[in-house]
Amino acid sequence: MKNRKFILLFTLLLSLGIVLAACGSGSNEDNTTGSDDNKDNADNASSEEDYSIAMVTDQGGVDDKSFNQSAWEGIQAWGEENGLSKGSGFNYAQSASQADFMPNITRLVRDEYNLIFGTGFLLKEDIQKAAEQFPDTYFAIVDDVVEAPNALSVTFKEHEGSFLAGVAAANKTKSNKLGFVGGIDSPLITKFEAGFIAGAKSVNPDIEVDVQYAETFDDAAKGKLIASNMYSNDVDVIYHASGGTGNGVFNQAKDIKQNDADREIWVIGVDADQHEEGQIGDHNVTLTSMVKRVDVAVQDVGKMLQAGEFPGGEHLEFGIEEDGISIAETNADAFTEDIKNAVNEWQEKILNGDVEVPQTREELESFLDAL
């Protein structure tokens, strides 16, 4: 009888030990993608391994050599810094069209990513909807503003950098004819347009700027056609703010340069330093690039999340003063010391408040009237 009681007691204690061990164990590998328990309130997560980040691209795609790619590089840098890998701690979902936005967001929520970025103003409506529908997930939109306690808005002062791009173009042109190729005609891309024209005409009011919109961010063929028409009409510097469509602008400039090495034509890149996109043999047609440090902003937001300081409901804006906007000086042969000095001079005027760069066409009109 005593032996039976002992065996029963031993069995109960063994069972209890197994249950306690199961409750106390947790897989760090599982935690890199999040869990329902630690996402009920993301503020309660206690270690870096608890966090995972993903992004949904806009139509330009993750390899657009511009905006989306810069954001993805920021997420990769954050992930690698924390010993994570693609698909296990960070990832992205590619969108071919706007119809893909919400399915991609929903899938990443289902995959339990703690923070989901929407890259581009086209995702505004879907990020807003998702933030309301999934209150236990953090969201961030780049290039627009949403309002939700679990969502962050990140924007840039593109007009400031575009103004400096206009200064560089005005100091480089020999025909006094510049081009601007926009993606989708929208308040965001208008900031690029207005700033560029203001900067160029601040240097020389007689400069002409041909403005054309492709109405897409992912059609390189259309970008090439627009650039072909501009270069045929004596434009010698084109600034593009058109994502993957801008690849066609570079292709056209390189085609012309390949056929006529002595002709001076230039492209100003956008978002990332697009110096490599302009390389053709011994020449490079990239004058400079208006660099928007989306990668740095994305990486910083990831660190805020880890520190338990995710600024939900806030709007962060990055400009020249915040080191979120700059002008690339990579092509020293084209971006001469004189151009560099001129750009720095106007940059100081912006920082000192002597120049208020226009952001809309209406503001641009008033700015030009005052020149």
Side-chain angles (χ1 to χ4, degrees):
M1 186 68 177
K2 287 182 179 180
N3 286 341
R4 290 182 61 190
K5 287 183 178 180
F6 175 79
I7 293 171
L8 178 60
L9 179 61
F10 178 78
T11 302
L12 289 172
L13 289 173
L14 181 62
S15 299
L16 180 60
I18 292 172
V19 170
L20 290 174
C23 292
S25 69
S27 169
N28 287 335
E29 185 175 334
D30 289 341
N31 284 342
T32 61
T33 57
S35 69
D36 288 338
D37 289 339
N38 67 32
K39 286 209 298 91
D40 285 341
N41 187 339
D43 290 331
N44 291 331
S46 59
S47 68
E48 293 180 358
E49 287 77 18
D50 288 326
Y51 295 100
S52 55
I53 297 177
M55 65 173 269
V56 177
T57 74
D58 69 9
Q59 295 171 340
V62 77
D63 56 353
D64 62 357
K65 299 180 175 63
S66 186
F67 178 78
N68 288 283
Q69 185 167 323
S70 181
W72 175 235
E73 287 172 356
I75 290 178
Q76 286 178 300
W78 172 85
E80 290 165 4
E81 195 176 81
N82 290 286
L84 306 175
S85 60
K86 181 178 179 292
S88 181
F90 65 92
N91 211 336
Y92 71 88
Q94 186 102 333
S95 303
S97 68
Q98 293 189 41
D100 295 330
F101 293 163
M102 187 52 81
N104 280 338
I105 293 170
T106 303
R107 177 170 62 81
L108 294 174
V109 171
R110 188 174 62 246
D111 290 343
E112 298 185 331
Y113 284 92
N114 301 107
L115 171 60
I116 299 171
F117 280 91
T119 52
F121 68 92
L122 292 174
L123 282 106
K124 175 177 180 174
E125 183 178 337
D126 292 292
I127 290 292
Q128 179 71 55
K129 187 185 302 180
E132 295 168 359
Q133 187 174 347
F134 306 107
D136 294 328
T137 300
Y138 283 133
F139 295 91
I141 187 165
V142 182
D143 270 0
D144 216 318
V145 178
V146 295
E147 296 182 4
N150 58 325
L152 169 67
S153 303
V154 178
T155 61
F156 294 82
K157 299 175 183 177
E158 296 92 352
H159 51 298
E160 293 182 347
S162 297
F163 184 99
L164 300 181
V167 170
N171 279 275
K172 193 67 177 178
T173 182
K174 292 187 172 149
S175 65
N176 283 337
K177 292 183 177 181
L178 308 177
F180 174 81
V181 177
I184 293 176
D185 193 344
S186 58
L188 173 65
I189 306 303
T190 298
K191 289 168 68 179
F192 291 84
E193 175 194 333
F196 180 66
I197 295 173
K201 286 185 173 287
S202 290
V203 175
N204 181 1
D206 294 328
I207 280 179
E208 299 175 16
V209 183
D210 183 1
V211 176
Q212 295 188 42
Y213 280 81
E215 292 305 337
T216 178
F217 289 109
D218 62 352
D219 191 342
K222 194 163 187 180
K224 193 175 193 301
L225 178 60
I226 293 173
S228 176
N229 292 332
M230 287 184 175
Y231 287 131
S232 295
N233 290 322
D234 294 328
V235 166
D236 55 1
V237 183
I238 295 177
Y239 175 41
H240 92 89
S242 57
T245 298
N247 295 336
V249 177
F250 279 102
N251 291 339
Q252 181 60 25
K254 289 190 289 186
D255 285 351
I256 293 173
K257 194 69 176 178
Q258 189 171 32
N259 293 324
D260 185 357
D262 294 328
R263 184 176 175 187
E264 288 198 26
I265 56 170
W266 306 99
V267 182
I268 297 178
V270 74
D271 293 337
D273 183 353
Q274 296 192 299
H275 180 260
E276 291 185 5
E277 302 313 305
Q279 195 68 45
I280 174 72
D282 296 330
H283 303 282
N284 195 301
V285 297
T286 304
L287 172 60
T288 183
S289 298
M290 197 287 284
V291 180
K292 190 164 80 169
R293 297 308 305 269
V294 181
D295 56 338
V296 172
V298 166
Q299 194 172 358
D300 284 351
V301 172
K303 292 176 181 178
M304 292 177 192
L305 178 72
Q306 286 177 298
E309 298 173 352
F310 182 80
E314 295 185 21
H315 174 198
L316 303 182
E317 188 173 33
F318 296 83
I320 295 173
E321 187 173 2
E322 296 80 17
D323 295 325
I325 294 290
S326 64
I327 292 293
E329 302 175 4
T330 315
N331 192 353
D333 292 334
F335 196 82
T336 63
E337 198 67 24
D338 287 343
I339 295 176
K340 180 180 176 180
N341 290 337
V343 167
N344 288 337
E345 179 183 336
W346 283 99
Q347 178 170 293
E348 283 303 310
K349 291 180 181 180
I350 293 173
L351 290 173
N352 293 336
D354 296 332
V355 173
E356 187 173 345
V357 183
Q359 303 185 49
T360 66
R361 292 185 182 121
E362 291 74 17
E363 291 178 1
L364 174 62
E365 188 175 346
S366 299
F367 181 92
L368 298 180
D369 288 342
L371 289 178

